[in-house]
Amino acid sequence: MTVMATKFTPEVLLSAPRRSAAVPNPAGTLALFTVSQYSFETHSKDYAIKVLDIKSRHSTQLFDDPAYTEPTWVSETEFVFLKNGDSTTSLMAADATKPGSDPYEVSSFSATVSNIKVKDIGNGTVAFACTAPTTADGAMLNAADEKKPHSSAQVYTELFVRHWDAYVSKNKQGLFYGALKKVDGSFKLQDLGLVNALAGTRLECPVPPFGDASDYDVGKEGIVFVSKDPDLNPALWTKTDLYYVPLRSFTEAKAPLPQVVKTGKLQGYTGAPTFSHDGTKVAFKRMRSRQYESDKWRLLLLPDIKDLSNVQEFYETKDGEGAWDARPEGVAWSNDDRELYVTAEKDGRQVLYKLPSSPLEAKELPQPLTSDGAVGDFRNLSQSRADGRLFVTSTSLVDNSSYSIIDPESKEIGLVSSSSKEGKSFGLTRRQFDEFWFKGAGDYDCHALVMKPSNFDPSKKYPLAFLIHGGPQGAWGDSWSTRWNPAIFAEQGYVAVMPNPTGSTGYGQALTDAIAQDWGGRPYNDLENCFEHIADNLPYVDTTNAVALGASYGGYMINWIQGHPLGRKFKALVCHDGIFSTMNCWATEELFFPMHDMGGALWENREGYARWDPSASVGEWATPQLVIHSELDYRLSISEGLSAFNALQTRGVPSRFLMFPDENHWVLKPENSLVWHKEVLGWINRWTGLDTTGLSEEAEKVTLG
């Protein structure tokens, strides 16, 4: 699974191998990972489980069956994984040092199992946990046993009706545990089988729609997990709590009732619960607000798992804001449990930090261990207390996957493996990357990232691709993407500029919070300032030949720009899954979002919704625009895209509508994604005069109705 390209095209992006995070074994000598690759020639996907020899940097394929997923170490050489069937799942085991040998079945389940975790708890026992859909009584759900109704009708009496890209069913996710032991040289699941730790409760883990194995952890003293507060409607409130289920043998026939961890005034989202190696402490993160999905994460410590009322906050201040103005994401413990490693956004990077594991000792703010790229997965290289090194999976704007070893003491970083040879396989280099700061609309500065063509010549002028991020509480970063990849635009001949205006994350919580109830105000003015900064300070950019593109909130801003002066400075616009009218926000599913960002319910603050409504200025729309929307986008109903296209067509503005009936808020299927890229590039190239060969079939045509 390799790729070598002289030009980075959509086909290269979408057919490049995609590696998972690599997970080292307890000895720190081998690492398991998966890799998939799509072929536009055969219209099929290859998949493999591989093992990396960390010292030699050589990887070996173990299996190529796409039904094999989630390889997880259970010893220094052995690992378990899932074999997925139509409505069944088998837990399999194999030896990573014996490629070509057949795996054996540990156990099988009449359900769709996922998110597996294991933990050696001593006495030859390996605790095992996983998640699976359940029936009303908490048993694993076998989809094949469900009765098929004669009608497709569904009746709802409470929220949610639908969530992300599916209509909500009555089936919930359960969190199951069991114990593995070796019998005659093979791992076996103990006779009790798997027990649902959530049976008889109204709790669910992982938290839909994006919850995964990071929503829970397994330790020597039991399981900690995150679940929505069952007494609050999940469509209206973000509150999720941390719960603890005490277990000693993981063969308990009935789990003790989950116990909630008390966190005082912090009542919002909870995430990343992580046991210390000795199993007595838990680090996790939590937000304060119960109705704001982008509130600042606070890093917390439960110093004694047996005292759930004693939770300590890192960098706590009397005003409740916290001394560390960052948003911690992932969490890991050092081997001796004396330090924590945490990732957080900073100035367009996802940085790895180090700090003492006790809030009482964390006097100084965390120290960064990295400065570029985006750290994703990170964990101890080995389980030896004498080895403090970390094994890190990361990406950048030019590299789609790299594995490195970091020494937290010296901060030395040693590259072990790069899927793209640090971008060379794509024809990309770090020389293409740049950045600048510009004056915001108030007393603050904003940051922007820049991606130049690989054949960049500073004496020439290049058209501008002005990319506006979604969220709106989000940010462009030095990270890889297969959906919005700035290098794709740069290799077409654009200078791609990615501003992070008001609402962006990674620049302090005040900038993030300031977009609420001001969607078309400060952020729009910041973008105007950024455009002027480019015109005045980047002589190699031709701002008279510019296009702007955005998705989600970025799509909203494209529609807002259409009706305002900045819209006349672009040759063409692209709006993906944008908002046509803020008055329609109550067609979304997570209603806590408009209630926070628009200042209450629609009937409580109708003026607030109307103030930033793009459709109110539709009479000014004049710039050619491509509109993209998908039928399964339940965040922003497809009616938003249709409304924008209908308005453009009725006004006689050159426009085009691209629709996917089988995609959600994101376009994920390779064949659909290729069409998306060709349509987008064909559209903007048509208006800027760049080459349209091989792009949209009708790139030379303009739809006028």
Side-chain angles (χ1 to χ4, degrees):
M1 295 184 180
T2 59
V3 60
M4 288 298 294
T6 55
K7 182 180 179 180
F8 189 56
T9 64
E11 289 88 346
V12 172
L13 168 68
L14 299 172
S15 62
R18 303 186 188 188
R19 302 195 305 188
S20 70
V23 180
N25 66 352
T29 57
L30 304 173
L32 287 168
F33 66 98
T34 65
V35 59
S36 63
Q37 185 170 17
Y38 189 82
S39 170
F40 287 103
E41 294 181 356
T42 63
H43 304 287
S44 62
K45 181 184 292 186
D46 292 326
Y47 172 87
I49 295 176
K50 291 191 172 185
V51 62
L52 172 70
D53 185 300
I54 295 175
K55 185 176 181 180
S56 70
R57 304 180 182 181
H58 175 73
S59 63
T60 302
Q61 180 169 301
L62 299 175
F63 301 109
D64 62 0
D65 190 332
Y68 293 178
T69 61
E70 300 191 38
T72 304
W73 293 108
V74 287
S75 73
E76 289 194 0
T77 64
E78 298 162 293
F79 65 98
V80 293
F81 61 91
L82 299 177
K83 179 181 179 182
N84 302 296
D86 291 336
S87 57
T88 63
T89 307
S90 295
L91 180 65
M92 311 292 293
D95 192 319
T97 63
K98 299 177 181 178
S101 61
D102 292 331
Y104 65 88
E105 184 177 272
V106 177
S107 188
S108 63
F109 316 104
S110 297
T112 302
V113 170
S114 60
N115 299 313
I116 64 175
K117 281 191 174 181
V118 301
K119 177 68 177 182
D120 188 338
I121 58 174
N123 299 319
T125 301
V126 176
F128 174 82
C130 64
T131 66
T134 65
T135 60
D137 61 0
M140 280 190 175
L141 172 69
N142 186 340
D145 292 340
E146 285 198 299
K147 293 182 179 180
K148 301 298 185 292
H150 297 292
S151 167
S152 61
Q154 298 186 64
V155 178
Y156 294 85
T157 58
E158 62 182 6
L159 302 171
F160 289 116
V161 171
R162 55 187 190 177
H163 198 191
W164 186 246
D165 60 4
Y167 278 80
V168 175
S169 73
K170 295 180 180 179
N171 303 124
K172 305 298 182 183
Q173 288 284 329
L175 178 55
F176 293 81
Y177 66 83
L180 303 177
K181 281 197 174 185
K182 269 208 170 170
V183 179
D184 297 327
S186 299
F187 281 100
K188 294 294 181 184
L189 183 65
Q190 295 303 283
D191 292 341
L192 183 67
L194 294 182
V195 176
N196 184 5
L198 310 186
T201 74
R202 294 182 292 152
L203 304 176
E204 179 178 20
C205 182
V207 177
F210 303 121
D212 55 23
S214 67
D215 276 359
Y216 80 94
D217 199 23
V218 179
K220 295 179 180 180
E221 299 290 334
I223 296 175
V224 287
F225 67 93
V226 174
S227 181
K228 284 278 192 179
D229 185 330
D231 294 323
L232 295 178
N233 193 295
L236 301 175
W237 305 96
T238 60
K239 185 173 185 278
T240 56
D241 290 306
L242 181 64
Y243 294 86
Y244 169 53
V245 177
L247 299 169
R248 297 308 299 268
S249 66
F250 283 79
T251 59
E252 289 87 343
K254 180 177 175 57
L257 284 176
Q259 305 169 31
V260 68
V261 176
K262 304 292 186 179
T263 59
K265 294 181 179 180
L266 302 181
Q267 294 288 301
Y269 276 137
T270 304
T274 309
F275 270 109
S276 59
H277 292 282
D278 66 13
T280 63
K281 299 179 284 291
V282 178
F284 63 106
K285 61 183 183 180
R286 186 152 200 186
M287 295 180 181
R288 180 170 54 187
S289 172
R290 299 199 301 174
Q291 207 168 46
Y292 181 24
E293 66 176 4
S294 298
D295 197 6
K296 186 173 80 170
W297 288 110
R298 318 301 175 96
L299 185 62
L300 303 175
L301 174 71
L302 184 63
D304 183 355
I305 192 64
K306 296 179 181 179
D307 182 2
L308 304 185
S309 62
N310 177 24
V311 174
Q312 300 172 5
E313 180 179 346
F314 287 84
Y315 308 110
E316 185 177 15
T317 56
K318 291 182 179 180
D319 63 4
E321 298 304 316
W324 188 29
D325 198 11
R327 300 162 54 85
E329 293 293 337
V331 181
W333 293 79
S334 63
N335 276 325
D336 59 10
D337 288 338
R338 296 180 63 182
E339 292 175 319
L340 290 179
Y341 303 107
V342 179
T343 50
E345 286 180 277
K346 178 176 172 56
D347 298 346
R349 281 84 168 171
Q350 185 81 352
V351 179
L352 181 62
Y353 291 90
K354 178 180 73 171
L355 66 153
S357 63
S358 169
L360 302 179
E361 298 177 10
K363 306 298 183 182
E364 304 294 330
L365 293 182
Q367 296 299 307
L369 301 177
T370 62
S371 57
D372 289 311
V375 173
D377 188 83
F378 57 101
R379 56 191 72 215
N380 304 110
L381 173 62
S382 73
Q383 293 183 7
S384 169
R385 290 174 64 90
D387 187 355
R389 293 175 296 169
L390 302 174
F391 192 87
V392 174
T393 299
S394 58
T395 72
S396 73
L397 280 167
V398 300
D399 192 354
N400 65 340
S401 171
S402 68
Y403 304 145
S404 302
I405 295 175
I406 296 179
D407 186 331
E409 296 304 318
S410 66
K411 298 185 181 180
E412 290 184 3
I413 302 176
L415 179 65
V416 176
S417 171
S418 168
S419 180
S420 66
K421 302 186 187 316
E422 299 179 88
K424 294 177 183 177
S425 297
F426 301 139
L428 305 176
T429 70
R430 287 295 290 182
R431 293 190 301 273
Q432 295 175 246
F433 172 74
D434 204 350
E435 58 192 315
F436 62 84
W437 291 82
F438 62 95
K439 186 67 178 175
D443 187 21
Y444 57 91
D445 291 330
C446 292
H447 186 221
L449 308 183
V450 179
M451 197 69 180
K452 305 171 186 176
S454 56
N455 60 355
F456 176 73
D457 182 346
S459 67
K460 295 182 178 180
K461 277 189 173 288
Y462 297 86
L464 169 66
F466 197 69
L467 306 182
I468 306 172
H469 70 68
Q473 295 89 358
W476 293 111
D478 184 13
S479 61
W480 190 260
S481 173
T482 54
R483 292 184 287 115
W484 283 86
N485 192 307
I488 285 292
F489 299 95
E491 292 307 273
Q492 290 293 311
Y494 296 93
V495 168
V497 175
M498 297 82 75
N500 284 330
T502 294
S504 298
T505 52
Y507 302 92
Q509 194 63 30
L511 189 74
T512 304
D513 293 344
I515 195 171
Q517 302 185 58
D518 198 19
W519 273 30
R522 265 181 55 173
Y524 171 78
N525 295 330
D526 289 345
L527 294 175
E528 282 190 311
N529 288 4
C530 183
F531 189 91
E532 293 304 318
H533 180 96
I534 297 168
D536 295 340
N537 296 278
L538 274 62
Y540 51 85
V541 177
D542 182 3
T543 52
T544 68
N545 193 19
V547 294
L549 311 89
S552 195
Y553 171 80
Y556 160 88
M557 184 53 72
I558 291 296
N559 288 338
W560 183 261
I561 284 172
Q562 262 284 24
H564 293 81
L566 185 57
R568 305 294 79 79
K569 296 184 179 182
F570 295 106
K571 291 287 188 67
L573 303 171
V574 176
C575 172
H576 175 109
D577 288 0
I579 294 176
F580 175 72
S581 174
T582 48
M583 306 304 288
N584 298 332
C585 281
W586 276 62
T588 194
E589 13 85 283
E590 292 182 344
L591 293 170
F592 53 74
F593 177 75
M595 291 178 72
H596 175 272
D597 269 43
M598 296 296 161
L602 182 62
W603 53 91
E604 296 171 338
N605 186 24
R606 191 173 184 85
E607 295 79 10
Y609 284 78
R611 184 180 184 187
W612 307 117
D613 186 354
S615 70
S617 302
V618 76
E620 304 298 322
W621 288 23
T623 302
Q625 181 167 321
L626 169 65
V627 180
I628 307 169
H629 227 102
S630 298
E631 286 278 6
L632 299 182
D633 185 356
Y634 298 157
R635 282 278 150 97
L636 298 171
S637 175
I638 194 171
S639 60
E640 297 299 291
L642 285 167
S643 297
F645 179 68
N646 290 348
L648 290 160
Q649 286 281 296
T650 302
R651 286 186 51 74
V653 178
S655 49
R656 190 173 176 88
F657 183 59
L658 172 63
M659 186 277 290
F660 296 99
D662 55 348
E663 298 283 4
N664 54 39
H665 201 53
W666 303 324
V667 177
L668 300 176
K669 298 179 180 179
E671 300 285 353
N672 287 346
S673 185
L674 182 59
V675 171
W676 184 96
H677 280 87
K678 288 188 173 184
E679 286 285 340
V680 168
L681 296 177
W683 179 256
I684 61 176
N685 287 7
R686 157 72 176 82
W687 293 100
T688 56
L690 295 184
D691 187 12
T692 60
T693 304
L695 299 176
S696 170
E697 294 180 1
E698 300 182 4
E700 296 297 331
K701 300 179 182 179
V702 181
T703 305
L704 294 173

